[in-house]
Amino acid sequence: MTGPNVSSRTRELGIDFGPLAQELEEHKYPATCAELVDTYGNAVLGLPNGEQTLRELFELMPDENLESAAEARMAIFNTVSDRAIGRKGYSDRTPPALGERREWPNESF
């Protein structure tokens, strides 16, 4: 496998974890979301259209048990707001195929 390993990545799927990436890797699991918030709640996650803290993401699921750093990252991916989406409706694909619906108007930037 080539490329950086998980512990050295700070940006994944459009989210900039910053130092939190390494902190989640080094944290002892299992852990609840509340435990991660107590320790890293003020960590800021950079999104294409803003930012959110770990506290904002995990405050609604304090009792969720996470078994690993991978599960913690997945929980983050599943709870970020739509600010994590770059250009909504953007596609670099060709025009819609026969039977394919396009819900977004054609836009050019």
Side-chain angles (χ1 to χ4, degrees):
M1 184 166 137
T2 61
N5 63 27
V6 172
S7 65
S8 67
R9 287 187 293 200
T10 61
R11 185 171 187 80
E12 189 174 356
L13 297 177
I15 299 173
D16 185 358
F17 286 80
L20 181 61
Q22 188 65 35
E23 292 167 342
L24 289 176
E25 286 297 319
E26 294 172 355
H27 191 82
K28 184 171 170 72
Y29 294 92
T32 64
C33 287
E35 292 168 349
L36 293 177
V37 166
D38 287 344
T39 307
Y40 313 111
N42 293 329
V44 176
L45 297 149
L47 309 173
N49 294 314
E51 54 187 36
Q52 285 185 286
T53 64
L54 188 66
R55 177 173 280 104
E56 292 171 316
L57 299 176
F58 283 0
E59 68 186 350
L60 296 177
M61 51 186 200
D63 298 326
E64 184 77 21
N65 197 38
L66 305 169
E67 298 293 329
S68 66
E71 282 190 18
R73 285 191 312 277
M74 187 59 62
I76 290 168
F77 297 139
N78 289 333
T79 56
V80 292
S81 71
D82 63 357
R83 289 181 281 175
I85 300 170
R87 288 174 49 191
K88 293 180 186 175
Y90 173 77
S91 174
D92 59 358
R93 294 177 27 196
T94 58
L98 184 61
E100 182 179 13
R101 289 182 43 178
R102 176 168 285 180
E103 297 180 14
W104 298 93
N106 292 333
E107 296 179 350
S108 178
F109 293 95

